[in-house]
Amino acid sequence: MIIDIFAHHISPRVGKILFRAKYYGEGKQFHYPAQNADAEVRLKLMDKYQIDVQALSQTTPVLLGFGAGEAAEICRLSNDDNYTLCQAYPKRFVNICIFSLLDVKEAMKELERSVNELDCRGVTIATNQSGKGLDSTEYFTFYEKVAEYGLPIFLQPTHWESYPLVDMEQGYGMMSVFGWPFDTTQAIWRLIFGGVLERYPSLKIITHHCGALLPFFVKRAEGFALSHPILRARLTKPITEFWKNIYGDTCLGMAPSALSCGFDFFGPERMMYASDYPFGAQEGEGGIRDNLEGVKAMNISAENIPKILGKNARRILKIK
């Protein structure tokens, strides 16, 4: 079984709202094929590459440029439209719901609705909330409820605009290439040292782009956490104990050496295939194909490939 752990879905209703901002749509920062919302187009591609199930999620940069109310509405529509597709094809799709933490009370209501009415299998949040870190204590009630429901958290990177040299428009697109992995990394760091994973040790954090910077810099991170007295005092156990909470996807394309670096960190039980569809080359088909080929080209034991391609995701998302 092959399960795509990060496959995005932008429905026509959501697309109409997004077009009002400067980020998504034809001629804007992020192009996406409108036919991603056509179930037959999506299923045809899945069948072509033998993808059994897509975990349908929304990408959090769609919330850029919107206030708390509009962001919450985008989340509600995305969650509803994902569920509609899941209902129509229950063996092919599962629902990963998106939440904006700009209004925590609204996010809590949406979380309860998603679990009770929309068969929510996971929770997507942005790596920063309009510049606010994920270790902000106002978000703890949300994490507590997510842990209570036993849902994994999908960290989806987004913009941070404090460094002009990496600005999306003035920095030659570096934000989405290099800035997003940095933001994923700072989110992981803050979840650890900000006490979130200490307080809620059962949380599973699924990181986009194979853990971002963490696998490559893991020994640097471990050494600094051990040697820095202030950081050491913030944890009741070694930082290595928190790595077991962190999972990674394979969304690096045809890059076996980079994926092997990720595998060295995550191991065979915490790594999962992802395509990032419908973004990328050939209206998203390139991402499906290239990420599959990257996994299959990894220099690892053959018995671990099926775990990465589907078994791990099936366990975490409770897919029958």
Side-chain angles (χ1 to χ4, degrees):
M1 173 176 276
I2 300 178
I3 299 172
D4 187 344
I5 196 80
F6 266 99
H8 305 303
H9 174 226
I10 300 178
S11 68
R13 290 200 302 173
V14 172
K16 288 180 180 179
I17 299 175
L18 299 187
F19 199 75
R20 298 205 304 260
K22 68 177 184 178
Y23 297 99
Y24 282 82
E26 193 68 37
K28 298 189 177 184
Q29 284 189 12
F30 303 112
H31 166 72
Y32 68 92
Q35 61 265 32
N36 90 96
D38 185 328
E40 295 306 315
V41 170
R42 187 177 286 261
L43 288 166
K44 185 177 180 179
L45 279 173
M46 291 170 66
D47 290 341
K48 180 177 179 179
Y49 293 98
Q50 299 181 310
I51 308 297
D52 296 285
V53 177
Q54 282 185 345
L56 294 178
S57 61
Q58 183 61 273
T59 179
T60 57
V62 300
L63 304 178
L64 289 168
F66 295 102
E70 288 178 306
E73 179 65 11
I74 291 170
C75 291
R76 283 191 293 271
L77 292 178
S78 296
N79 297 340
D80 283 341
D81 292 347
N82 276 4
Y83 183 58
T84 297
L85 202 50
C86 293
Q87 281 186 305
Y89 304 94
K91 294 183 178 181
R92 306 305 302 274
F93 303 112
V94 294
N95 196 5
I96 309 299
C97 296
I98 184 174
F99 302 88
S100 166
L101 300 182
L102 299 181
D103 184 335
V104 177
K105 289 184 179 179
E106 191 61 40
M108 296 290 286
K109 292 178 184 177
E110 181 63 9
L111 178 61
E112 183 177 2
R113 185 181 80 93
S114 296
V115 170
N116 293 331
E117 301 177 19
L118 305 180
D119 192 21
C120 175
R121 304 294 181 90
V123 167
T124 295
I125 59 173
T127 48
N128 74 77
Q129 303 290 315
S130 290
K132 185 171 287 189
L134 294 186
D135 59 328
S136 299
T137 56
E138 66 196 86
Y139 306 147
F140 280 23
T141 54
F142 182 81
Y143 299 139
E144 181 177 8
K145 188 58 70 171
V146 171
E148 181 181 315
Y149 286 133
L151 296 171
I153 292 178
F154 288 64
L155 285 187
Q156 175 71 52
T158 190
H159 284 18
W160 46 281
E161 302 293 356
S162 60
Y163 188 21
L165 295 182
V166 191
D167 177 81
M168 189 66 184
E169 295 178 359
Q170 304 301 319
Y172 310 107
M174 279 197 292
M175 177 61 71
S176 62
V177 179
F178 301 111
W180 286 359
F182 168 78
D183 210 53
T184 298
T185 309
Q186 68 79 21
I188 298 168
W189 199 251
R190 297 191 77 91
L191 287 172
I192 294 171
F193 286 103
V196 176
L197 295 183
E198 285 262 20
R199 185 182 291 259
Y200 310 109
S202 66
L203 284 178
K204 295 179 175 65
I205 309 298
I206 302 177
T207 61
H208 211 7
H209 309 123
C210 204
L213 307 184
L214 187 56
F216 190 82
F217 287 105
V218 62
K219 291 305 176 184
R220 180 176 174 84
E222 290 173 0
F224 194 74
L226 181 64
S227 63
H228 196 291
I230 295 177
L231 291 184
R232 196 167 61 242
R234 294 193 67 87
L235 303 180
T236 62
K237 53 188 176 182
I239 192 172
T240 53
E241 290 296 307
F242 295 99
W243 297 157
K244 68 184 67 173
N245 297 85
I246 313 299
Y247 294 69
D249 72 11
T250 64
C251 200
L252 293 175
M254 290 187 289
S257 60
L259 290 171
S260 293
C261 178
F263 184 82
D264 287 344
F265 176 74
F266 292 112
E269 309 296 334
R270 294 184 289 118
M271 197 172 184
M272 293 167 282
Y273 165 73
S275 70
D276 216 14
Y277 181 82
F279 301 105
Q282 297 174 276
E283 306 290 75
E285 181 174 353
I288 295 175
R289 180 191 64 246
D290 293 351
N291 285 290
L292 270 178
E293 292 185 4
V295 172
K296 293 175 181 178
M298 291 172 65
N299 185 25
I300 60 175
S301 172
E303 67 184 14
N304 288 323
I305 298 295
K307 295 180 181 180
I308 294 171
L309 289 180
K311 287 184 178 180
N312 293 338
R314 185 176 184 178
R315 180 185 72 252
I316 290 168
L317 299 181
K318 299 179 176 63
I319 296 174
K320 297 181 180 180

